[in-house]
Amino acid sequence: MELFEITYKEYMELPEGEALLIDIRDEVSAGYGMIPGAVNIPGEVLESRIQNLADGRKIILYCMRGEYSKELASRLYDRGLAAYSMNGGYTGWLLDCMGTEKKSGDRNKRVEEIEKSIRKKFHKALFSKFAKAINEYDMLQENDRVAVCISGGKDSMLMAKLFQELKRHNKFPFELVFLVMDPGYSSANRTIIENNAELMNIPITVFESDIFDAVYDIEKSPCYLCARMRRGYLYSRAKELGCNKIALGHHYDDVIETILMGMLYGGQVQTMMPKLHSTNFEGMELIRPMYLIREEDIKHWRDYNGLHFIQCACRFTDTCTACRSDGSSASKRLEVKNLIAGLKKNNPFVEGNIFKSVENVNLSTIVAYKRDGIKHSFLEDY
């Protein structure tokens, strides 16, 4: 049998049980969404397990855009397996689905269903916690103009819908701008963001930058530099649009993972704050209204509504570099996620305890701490 690519349509036409569909991206990438019926087995793990999995079936592989899956399928083919690469990968499948949905029907009904799910089924898990964070941390005031920053992922898209729901309650006047920065997305990823915004009735304002080009050749901490640059561009454009706040979609799990990452990899105790004053843009403030929302509830809402979003969509993931788990793409955040999941098996309260730990700091038992960049020792008052 000759090695060739296969389309999703051709895969669906195969008799049931004849093929095994495998998502070879890493666990983090697959967590943003997979093709229905697929199993997630990262590429480097798959090669050692494939003989046991194949069982005479055709092996259909896909990654982000279908590049690494072709390489891996070729290696498996050389080992005598009926291996195929899905044309276009996950991104291609998603674009096909969106095209079919556009042709098929009533988008107004889809919007109503998505919004109803927030008001009914997910009201307690999502909207109530969204409103609680805004009230508890005093994030929103009368006549604020908030730039709701949308990256295209599940978190920021849900945040936009939650803000629209809050606006519907209209307890006091405030304004929203749904801001999307295109730092150099591929045309496919740009299309996915725009299609999802249209599907969910989010009136986005898009502006472009060249951040991906600027950080692509940076070897040390390109993701950190990219994040810092994106934040600066967002502040700048939001201020130009008359906003006094930017809202980011970080959630509860991001907070507890950041606490542990700071301790384990940074040797410091710190947290992701619910709101911050900008040090570079006077009068601007950053807020995180998803602060109390659990990631599993966001995923549940996404899957319940049959929604599919992009991941980071930077040039590294876009060219399938992140599909390769050869060590260079190992995620510290994934390590911490797995650590927390392991601890939770023995202590179901571990996540809440991590979150509360930075609210219950006893300074009399701290050897040293920093305030405004100045280090203080317990010896000062000993």
Side-chain angles (χ1 to χ4, degrees), residues 33-44:
M34 299 196 304
I35 297 176
V39 294
N40 175 227
I41 307 175
E44 86 289 353

Side-chain angles (χ1 to χ4, degrees), residues 1-7 10-11 14 58-61 69-70 73-74 77 81-87:
M1 182 181 292
E2 292 184 356
L3 176 69
F4 65 100
E5 289 185 291
I6 189 171
T7 65
E10 290 169 335
Y11 158 71
L14 293 172
K58 292 182 173 66
I59 305 300
I60 316 297
L61 310 178
S69 57
K70 278 192 282 189
S74 178
Y77 173 73
L81 296 166
Y84 300 76
S85 171
M86 185 167 288
N87 187 21

Side-chain angles (χ1 to χ4, degrees), residues 17-32:
E18 187 173 313
L20 177 64
L21 180 62
I22 303 177
D23 184 324
I24 63 169
R25 298 173 297 166
D26 61 40
E27 186 179 335
V28 172
S29 299
Y32 283 82

Side-chain angles (χ1 to χ4, degrees), residues 227-238:
R228 289 292 300 270
M229 291 178 70
R230 291 171 80 157
R231 186 83 52 85
Y233 272 90
L234 287 168
Y235 268 126
S236 180
R237 182 51 62 96

Side-chain angles (χ1 to χ4, degrees), residues 60-100:
I60 316 297
L61 310 178
Y62 74 87
C63 56
M64 186 66 78
R65 293 178 62 83
E67 296 178 20
Y68 179 43
S69 57
K70 278 192 282 189
E71 296 178 22
L72 183 54
S74 178
R75 292 201 296 272
L76 297 180
Y77 173 73
D78 289 342
R79 291 167 55 179
L81 296 166
Y84 300 76
S85 171
M86 185 167 288
N87 187 21
Y90 178 75
T91 302
W93 169 80
L94 186 51
L95 286 170
D96 285 344
C97 287
M98 287 182 165
T100 301

Side-chain angles (χ1 to χ4, degrees), residues 3-173:
L3 176 69
F4 65 100
E5 289 185 291
I6 189 171
T7 65
Y8 179 71
K9 181 181 179 182
E10 290 169 335
Y11 158 71
M12 291 298 292
E13 290 172 350
L14 293 172
E16 186 176 352
E18 187 173 313
L20 177 64
L21 180 62
I22 303 177
D23 184 324
I24 63 169
R25 298 173 297 166
D26 61 40
E27 186 179 335
V28 172
S29 299
Y32 283 82
M34 299 196 304
I35 297 176
V39 294
N40 175 227
I41 307 175
E44 86 289 353
V45 176
L46 177 64
E47 290 200 70
S48 63
R49 294 175 54 190
I50 193 62
Q51 294 292 353
N52 295 330
L53 290 167
D55 194 27
R57 291 177 289 180
K58 292 182 173 66
I59 305 300
I60 316 297
L61 310 178
Y62 74 87
C63 56
M64 186 66 78
R65 293 178 62 83
E67 296 178 20
Y68 179 43
S69 57
K70 278 192 282 189
E71 296 178 22
L72 183 54
S74 178
R75 292 201 296 272
L76 297 180
Y77 173 73
D78 289 342
R79 291 167 55 179
L81 296 166
Y84 300 76
S85 171
M86 185 167 288
N87 187 21
Y90 178 75
T91 302
W93 169 80
L94 186 51
L95 286 170
D96 285 344
C97 287
M98 287 182 165
T100 301
E101 187 174 46
K102 264 191 171 182
K103 294 175 185 175
S104 65
D106 189 353
R107 288 209 152 193
N108 289 333
K109 185 178 179 182
R110 284 283 278 133
V111 172
E112 289 174 8
E113 291 170 349
I114 291 167
E115 293 179 348
K116 182 181 177 181
S117 73
I118 291 173
R119 292 171 193 154
K120 300 291 184 180
K121 184 175 178 64
F122 296 97
H123 186 274
K124 184 177 179 181
L126 298 179
F127 184 75
S128 291
K129 290 183 178 179
F130 181 80
K132 181 180 179 182
I134 287 175
N135 291 328
E136 190 167 312
Y137 300 111
D138 194 25
M139 294 184 186
L140 199 60
Q141 284 78 40
E142 190 171 335
N143 297 320
D144 275 344
R145 184 172 169 85
V146 183
V148 182
C149 300
I150 298 173
S151 66
K154 67 186 190 314
D155 308 327
S156 60
M157 284 289 192
L158 172 59
M159 178 175 64
K161 294 306 297 179
L162 291 171
F163 262 118
Q164 286 180 325
E165 180 65 14
L166 187 68
K167 182 76 171 171
R168 192 177 70 88
H169 289 264
N170 204 30
K171 290 189 175 180
F172 57 79

